[in-house]
């Protein structure tokens, strides 16, 4: 009676770019649901978990990691061609991740400081979110992504509805949970007011400030919060550095870092705008 | 200082009041617990005085207070033995009578498409609230009006309220952000409590405010307080009042605030405002909620969960296809402030603010409403009319899909019937909430009333509407009510009638045409105008032709664009009648469509002589609950779902067409 | 394709090694029955962590280094925390230190259960993945998932979440759980302990390829506890025994001619093996009695020291150990008065190590007078194991040459997986040599 | 201006034309002198459905006042074919480009139904408006009103309100 109950199992791929593997591990961390999910979804590409390989086509592909090498650039375009729905998972794929903090610095200097033979290291001048290069159909935020949100995404995929992924501030979840604001009651700088919820307001529950791993929420007034941190006694570059974490390259945070300072490898107060590779091959 | 316009009658302890020595306070806690009550009161946790379970005196904030200022809260040590020497902290009693998340219902859809809905009834523990302040009693009273005072009621809230015994404690240490004096709610307790305590240096004055409270006081077996002790208590209250002063000039605030909807200050506040929702979460009267569905992997079993929501988030006022009526933070701040201090009065006969100061203390960037109100404008005399109404909770019934008729490529008309034999055609209301397990609920206007049910015309724009348009004959779906206020067709008796429906705004008007045709002689000339995007988007084409051929009503149809095969009219819907020859001074108009189309239409109608009180329009807003309890569809002083969606233009006043309202 | 060539040359290529964390490939050339080239290539993108941390506050650094690896974030947090605490002269409260061990125990249980059941067991049982394995042996995989879940839950209780926990700071933790919160974990751990014992018995019955070779095993050793984030750095043959901070006196990161990779070797250029086999061998005396008994029951102690494939049994032993130790920690727990010890920043430098599930993760940190980082060196376990992996591949490959190509390739991958290589951790461990011939 | 078969049936009776003008929104209630001037420039024609009355880009020599029937204003859009932008109903005008340089039609005008049109000669009307300020003072507001209505309607159509 109701349409679309017996469609074939969707083909899912998991693809990794520059990342720590933690977000795809979250798929394996769905312990209670993992085998049920595997019965309903055809996991055709997931090298961390299975030796079966497929280069597509995919109904849905989950992309972890930032685009930071020429090879990854080729990969992401190839994956986009093969994927009906491309979903970025985690802070690296959605915002560039921690490695995007190098985008303010001189890439060659960075490379030379870490590698004895920088000439052998192939990497792009910047590490950027996937959406800077190809069209992205959906995203799961977080460093790492949240298991409940991942399961909700899968459930929505299987039941044909929109995933219920609120874009409100961490504060909303924090207050529903009955936590006391660490910023107001203890003077601890907290990115919760400008950060998207999804973690369950984890850090304030552990007596520390949110460090923004789900990235800016909609219309994040990061500049006002940065000014408040300074008013609370932080030096401007320190205030900027609080934003220069796992999602610091996402625009409203990026602007605060550029304005206040705090990017690695850049003297305080001298932060230029981050480098951008533009959109070399077709763009979004 | 204390120049509040309201003369307050303070429930001060009178002689005969008992005295409970400090050393015996545990006795009171034990008495409450003996009755099977969970005692909830102040306790120190995570750097603040919050409300949590209190089993012993040692759980209380003994000798602890707090300094409060905009955006700042710090515990301080008083170096004394007092238990209640603090101003209200981050928690409010709202959490215990109106939980942050609440399972509302469970629904099920089996392989054959049969659906069922079952409300969840929660076990409510017996509670005692210890340490309730005057401002908090006022807040509970406001919540009573909002959640129990309308045609629909929140029964879970009612049961929690009924299960909570209130032990109030007179305020002695107001905080740096308090302004109850201005809002006329404190610092003195004025009723609503069961037991009242006044904390003195070596013990408590104890009196009762209800029979239940009197019984508890009697069981304590106290000696009478001395006159000196009573004086010590009242001196304390006077001192508290003096410390707060009267920071907000509230006389005329309602009108002054609403006159400043275009103040540049709103944009300046938005420069600072983080829209983080802390003010609304901390507020003891904010009551907005959203519902969402959680389901199993196959979508067969789903749980509907309600959670606190906040008018500061963008999604709160979002409607289908990315539309949003309050797109900017300044719109949302204005909505919150004007609702709290002005339109709340229009809706509920009381201000929505009790002056507890939580929104000031707990704002991370320290925005101070006292300052903002005085900058933008000033306030009110409290209305006190309580609206008694029969308790009514919206119910979800299962309907069968009897027929599915495609209207256009993305729009279908479903014929629904209910097996319970109720004559739905006689129930008032303009729309229904259609629920699909695991998908969610959406409001859909009734496009025809039938004795056994109704027709719904639905366009597939999002997952829920796509689900509804995808229902096939024989499927089952959940429906709530008919809800809202519909078109006042009876008001058009003996008048000419002009009906203008644009796009998906036409289906809600079809029942109006049905009603008129059923009693054709009761109406004058009738004009029906329908505009659509393209010829392919026109609705009810055969019916329109049939109506036109009757000869007793004018039917005009136009489209915004067409190819060369279309021989009908092309142009906006207003062109159908801007040179019409009918006389608007004898007409009543019913208009529905996108808001911008309604604006163009009403100005054309006005030019034809139809006055504002005779133009009725239907408004679109984000609807979540459909019965005026969730707060999403707030528009000026109205909830669109409950007070509308049909309004007269005169009723809306300058709320209509205003940006970001 | 090469069968008609005058010399018999076979090439094994695995372009993307699966069921490892991160991305790597194997290229092995065999000529006339002799391995002429064995190269494990890492194509993990460079992420420049050692530069990203410069100019940062140590507490921020602990959050950042966790992101080197989503599988073993605690290894990076604990190594860095140990180094900073050494520089600033901080002694962590004993109860808080126990909580850190409990958090790390959760990571071991999670990581080892993941590796044993989801990554490595399919090799021994002939499946492409645990999902395929579950089709025939669902209860086995469910047991593995249940164990893994307990590890994750333990990390969530102590650290906030299982991947990138949020609770570690210099001087201790941000927040200490209540005794009730920990006690709530106890029943699950008691069950997990039984499952861990069953896991060891289960894997002990596997057939490991007969591949024994002399090797130098290296790990931390502490007289009073199973090695985790304290003790001395030692080898099983007694040739190495230095303070934890003195890694550089024994080892160096070497630019290896011909592979252009930074591999860690001894100063004499020798390879060595880190990880569960090394720890179980070196710290057998410090194993929890329950784990010691379980190991003895298998009779595999000698095999574990010599045959890399038996690392799966060593993981089983450590699963038993950490389930048992976690229960002990919880039983002895009293909530400390303060979650952390305040510290005074100063300029200084220190090396420190901790035992990641896959081997010693060694760090060296330098700070300025504000305590901010001026320089960092991070040596992940896999970059230290890489030399030994390649040596083992050379030694093992001849024994599989008679097998059908796909099967031979699978065996080679199984050997690599025995080291549980965590390629994502390649902070600066990058083999860029590409054999294009 | 269409040279349609049998399309010209010009009457000699000015009074009849004045009556026709008065029946339209555009021409009603003009001063008698103005009506006489217009009638002197007018002809009347009928055309069957499908007739092209004006072609986009070509000179617009007449302003048409629709007496009955419906005409469409169309434009050719690549890949979409002919798109009808607006229909003109009895009483309203088309071909007002005849008053605005360069006097070329901005759309193609096609009769959707058999139409009856009162047409005013473009060059003649321009000359009359230039010479007779009284005529200009009463006629231009009507033209402006027609243009303003069309502009407003076009703006609403552009918003594509019903797409949401």
């Amino acid at each position: 009676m109701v349409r679309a109950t017996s469609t074939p199992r969707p083909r899912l791929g998991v693809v990794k770019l520059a990342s720590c593997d933690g977000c795809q591990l979250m798929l394996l961390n769905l312990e209670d649901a993992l085998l049920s999910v595997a019965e309903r979804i055809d996991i055709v590409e997931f090298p961390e978990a299975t030796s079966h390989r497929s280069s597509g086509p995919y109904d849905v592909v989950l992309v972890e990691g930032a685009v930071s090498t020429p090879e990854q650039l080729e990969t992401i375009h190839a994956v986009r061609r093969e994927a009906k729905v491309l979903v970025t998972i985690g802070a690296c794929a959605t915002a560039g991740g921690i490695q995007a903090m190098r985008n303010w610095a001189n890439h060659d200097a960075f490379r030379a400081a870490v590698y004895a033979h920088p000439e052998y290291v192939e990497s792009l001048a910047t590490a950027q979110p996937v959406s800077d290069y190809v069209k992205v159909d959906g995203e799961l935020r977080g460093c790492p992504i949240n298991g409940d949100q991942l399961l909700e995404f899968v459930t929505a995929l299987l039941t044909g509805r929109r995933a219920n992924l609120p874009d409100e501030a961490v504060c909303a979840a924090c207050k529903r949970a009955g936590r006391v604001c660490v910023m107001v009651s203890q003077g601890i700088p907290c990115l919760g007011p400008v950060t998207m919820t999804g973690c369950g307001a984890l850090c304030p529950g552990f007596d520390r400030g949110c460090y923004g791993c789900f990235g800016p929420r909609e219309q994040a007034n990061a500049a006002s919060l940065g000014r408040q941190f300074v008013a609370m006694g932080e030096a401007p570059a320190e205030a900027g550095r609080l934003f220069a974490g796992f999602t610091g390259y996402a625009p409203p945070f990026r602007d605060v870092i550029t304005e206040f300072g705090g990017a690695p490898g850049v003297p305080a107060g001298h932060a230029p705008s981050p480098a951008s590779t533009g959109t070399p091959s077709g763009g979004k | 200082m204390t120049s509040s316009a309201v003369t307050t009658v303070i429930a001060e302890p009178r002689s005969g009041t008992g005295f409970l020595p400090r050393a015996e306070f545990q006795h009171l806690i034990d008495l409450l617990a003996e009755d099977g009550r969970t005692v909830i009161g102040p306790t120190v946790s995570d750097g603040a005085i919050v409300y949590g379970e209190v089993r012993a005196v040692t759980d209380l904030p003994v000798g602890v207070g707090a300094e409060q200022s905009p955006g700042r809260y710090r515990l301080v040590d008083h170096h004394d033995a007092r238990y209640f020497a603090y101003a209200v902290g981050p928690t409010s009693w709202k959490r215990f009578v109106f939980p942050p998340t609440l399972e509302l219902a469970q629904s099920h859809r089996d392989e054959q498409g049969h659906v069922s809905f079952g409300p969840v009834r929660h076990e409510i523990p017996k509670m005692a609230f210890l340490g309730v302040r005057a401002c908090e009693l006022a807040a509970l009273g406001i919540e009573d009006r909002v959640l129990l005072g309308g045609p629909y009621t929140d029964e879970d809230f009612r049961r929690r309220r009924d299960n909570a015994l209130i032990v109030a404690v007179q305020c002695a240490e107001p905080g740096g952000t308090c302004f109850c004096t201005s809002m006329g709610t404190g610092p003195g307790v004025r009723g609503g409590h069961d037991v009242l305590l006044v904390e003195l240096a070596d013990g408590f004055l104890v009196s009762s405010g209800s029979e239940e409270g009197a019984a508890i006081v009697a069981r304590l077996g106290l000696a009478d307080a001395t006159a000196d002790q009573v004086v010590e208590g009242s001196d304390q209250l006077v001192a508290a009042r003096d410390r707060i002063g009267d920071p907000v000039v509230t006389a005329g605030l309602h009108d002054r605030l609403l006159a400043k909807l275009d103040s540049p200050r709103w944009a300046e506040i938005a420069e600072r405002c983080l829209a983080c929702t802390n003010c609304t979460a901390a507020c003891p009267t904010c009551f907005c909620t959203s519902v969402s569905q959680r389901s199993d992997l196959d979508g067969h079993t789903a749980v509907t969960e309600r959670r606190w929501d906040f008018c500061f988030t963008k999604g709160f006022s979002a409607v289908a296809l990315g539309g949003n009526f309050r797109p900017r933070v300044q719109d949302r701040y204005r909505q919150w402030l004007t609702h709290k201090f002005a339109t709340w009065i229009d809706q509920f006969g009381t201000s929505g603010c009790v002056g507890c100061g939580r929104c000031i203390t707990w704002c991370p960037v320290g925005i101070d409403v006292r300052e903002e109100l005085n900058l933008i404008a000033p306030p009110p005399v409290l209305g006190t009319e309580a609206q008694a109404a029969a308790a009514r909770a919206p119910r979800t019934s299962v309907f069968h899909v009897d027929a599915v008729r495609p209207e256009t490529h993305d729009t279908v008309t479903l014929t629904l019937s209910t097996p319970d034999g109720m004559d739905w055609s006689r129930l008032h209301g303009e729309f229904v909430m259609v629920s699909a397990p695991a998908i969610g609920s959406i409001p859909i206007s009734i496009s025809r009333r039938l004795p056994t049910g109704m027709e719904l015309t639905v366009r597939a724009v999002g997952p829920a509407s796509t689900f509804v348009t995808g229902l096939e004959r024989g499927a089952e779906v959940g429906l709530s009510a008919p809800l809202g206020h519909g078109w006042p067709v009876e008001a058009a008796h003996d008048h000419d009638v002009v009906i203008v429906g644009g796009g998906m705004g036409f289906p809600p008007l079809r029942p109006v045409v049905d009603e008129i045709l059923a009693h054709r002689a009761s109406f004058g000339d009738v004009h029906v105008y329908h505009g659509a995007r393209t010829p392919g988007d026109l609705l009810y084409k055969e019916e329109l032709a049939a109506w036109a051929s009757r000869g007793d009503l004018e039917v005009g149809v136009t489209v915004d664009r067409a190819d060369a095969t279309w021989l009908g009219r092309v142009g906006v819907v207003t062109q159908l009648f801007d040179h019409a020859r009918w006389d608007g001074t004898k007409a009543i108009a019913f208009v529905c469509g996108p808001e911008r189309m309604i604006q163009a239409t009403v100005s054309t109608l006005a030019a034809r002589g139809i006055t504002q009180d005779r133009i009725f329009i239907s408004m679109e807003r984000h609807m979540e609950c459909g019965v005026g309890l969730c707060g999403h569809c707030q528009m000026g002083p109205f909830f669109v779902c409950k007070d509308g969606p049909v309004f007269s233009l005169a009723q809306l006043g300058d709320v209509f067409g205003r940006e970001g309202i | 394709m090469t069968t008609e060539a005058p010399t018999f040359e076979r090439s094994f290529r695995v372009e993307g090694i699966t069921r490892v964390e991160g991305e790597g490939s194997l290229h092995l050339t065999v000529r006339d029955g002799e391995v002429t080239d064995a190269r494990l290539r890492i194509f993990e993108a460079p992420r420049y962590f050692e530069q990203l941390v410069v100019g940062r506050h140590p507490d921020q650094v602990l959050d950042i280094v966790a992101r080197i690896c989503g599988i073993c974030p605690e290894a990076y947090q604990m190594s860095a925390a140990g180094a900073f605490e050494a520089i600033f002269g901080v002694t962590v409260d004993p109860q808080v230190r126990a909580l850190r061990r409990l958090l790390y125990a959760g990571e071991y249980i999670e990581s080892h259960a993941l590796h044993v059941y989801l990554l490595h067991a399919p090799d021994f049982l002939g499946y492409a993945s645990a999902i395929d394995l579950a089709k025939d042996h669902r209860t086995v995989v469910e047991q593995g998932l249940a164990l893994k879940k307990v590890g994750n839950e333990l990390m969530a209780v102590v650290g906030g979440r299982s991947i990138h926990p949020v609770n570690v700071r210099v001087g201790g933790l941000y927040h200490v759980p209540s005794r009730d919160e920990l006690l709530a974990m106890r029943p699950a751990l008691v069950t997990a302990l039984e499952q861990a014992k069953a896991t060891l018995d289960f894997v002990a019955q596997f057939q490991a390829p007969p591949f024994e070779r002399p090797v130098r095993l290296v790990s931390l050793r502490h007289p009073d506890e199973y090695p985790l984030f304290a003790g001395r750095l030692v080898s099983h043959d007694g040739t190495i025994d230095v303070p934890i901070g003195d890694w550089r006196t024994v080892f160096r990161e070497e630019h290896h001619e011909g592979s252009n990779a930074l591999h860690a070797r001894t100063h004499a250029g020798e390879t060595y093996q880190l990880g569960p086999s090394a720890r179980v061998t070196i710290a057998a005396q410090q194993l929890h009695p329950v784990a010691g008994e379980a190991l003895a029951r298998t009779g595999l102690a000698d095999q574990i020291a010599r045959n890399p494939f038996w690392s799966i049994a060593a993981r089983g032993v450590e699963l038993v150990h950490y389930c048992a130790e976690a229960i002990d920690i919880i039983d002895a727990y009293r909530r400390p008065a303060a979650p952390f010890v305040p510290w005074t920043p100063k300029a200084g430098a220190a090396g420190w190590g901790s035992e990641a599930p896959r081997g010693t993760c060694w760090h060296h940190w330098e700070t300025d007078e504000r305590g901010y980082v001026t320089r960092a060196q991070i040596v992940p376990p896999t970059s230290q194991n890489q030399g030994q992996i390649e040596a083992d591949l050379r030694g093992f490959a001849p024994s599989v040459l008679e097998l059908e190509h796909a099967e031979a390739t699978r065996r080679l991958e199984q050997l690599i997986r025995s080291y549980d290589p965590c390629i994502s951790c390649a902070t600066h461990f990058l083999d860029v040599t590409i054999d294009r011939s | 201006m269409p040279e349609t078969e049998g399309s010209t049936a010009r009457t000699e009776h000015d009074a009849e034309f004045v009556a026709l003008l008065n029946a339209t929104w555009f021409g009603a209630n003009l001063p008698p002198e103005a009506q006489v001037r217009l009638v002197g420039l007018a002809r009347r024609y009928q055309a069957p459905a499908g007739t092209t009355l004006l072609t986009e880009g070509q000179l617009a020599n007449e302003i048409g006042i629709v007496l009955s029937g419906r005409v469409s204003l169309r434009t050719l859009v690549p890949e979409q074919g002919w798109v009808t932008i607006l229909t003109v109903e009895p009483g309203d005008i088309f071909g007002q480009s005849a008053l605005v340089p360069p006097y070329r039609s901005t759309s193609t005008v096609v009769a959707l139904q058999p139409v009856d049109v009162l047409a005013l000669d473009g060059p003649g009307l321009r000359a009359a408006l230039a010479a007779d300020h009284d005529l200009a003072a009463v006629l231009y507001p009507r033209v402006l009103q027609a243009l303003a209505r069309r502009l407003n309607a076009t703006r609403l159509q552009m918003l594509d309100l019903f797409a949401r």
Side-chain angles (χ1 to χ4, degrees), chain A residues 161 164, chain B residues 100-108 116-122 156 289-296 300-307 394 396 433-442 478 480 624-625 630:
Chain A
R161 60 176 164 82
N164 180 19
Chain B
T101 58
L102 186 71
E103 222 174 77
L104 290 182
Q106 289 186 335
S107 55
H108 187 75
S116 57
F117 298 87
V120 174
R121 192 177 160 89
H122 295 273
D156 186 84
T289 53
S290 283
V291 292
S292 59
Q293 301 255 321
R294 276 185 292 115
S295 73
D296 60 7
H300 288 155
T301 298
V303 172
T304 306
E305 192 179 73
R306 183 185 80 183
R307 62 181 190 283
T396 301
M433 295 296 293
V434 180
S435 310
I439 305 277
S441 293
I442 45 169
S480 300
E624 189 92 16
C625 73
C630 78

Side-chain angles (χ1 to χ4, degrees), chain A residues 187-189 226-240 242 260, chain C residues 372:
Chain A
I188 299 171
R227 290 194 296 269
Q228 184 69 13
F229 291 163
V230 172
M232 287 161 63
E234 299 286 341
E238 288 306 308
L242 292 165
F260 288 68
Chain C
Y372 281 51

Side-chain angles (χ1 to χ4, degrees), chain C residues 14 21 29 143 154 163 165 182 186 326 329 331 357 387 417:
Chain C
V14 182
E21 295 97 14
T29 310
Q143 171 164 289
L154 197 53
I163 302 171
L182 292 191
R186 200 181 188 282
I329 293 172
D331 288 344
R417 278 186 210 112

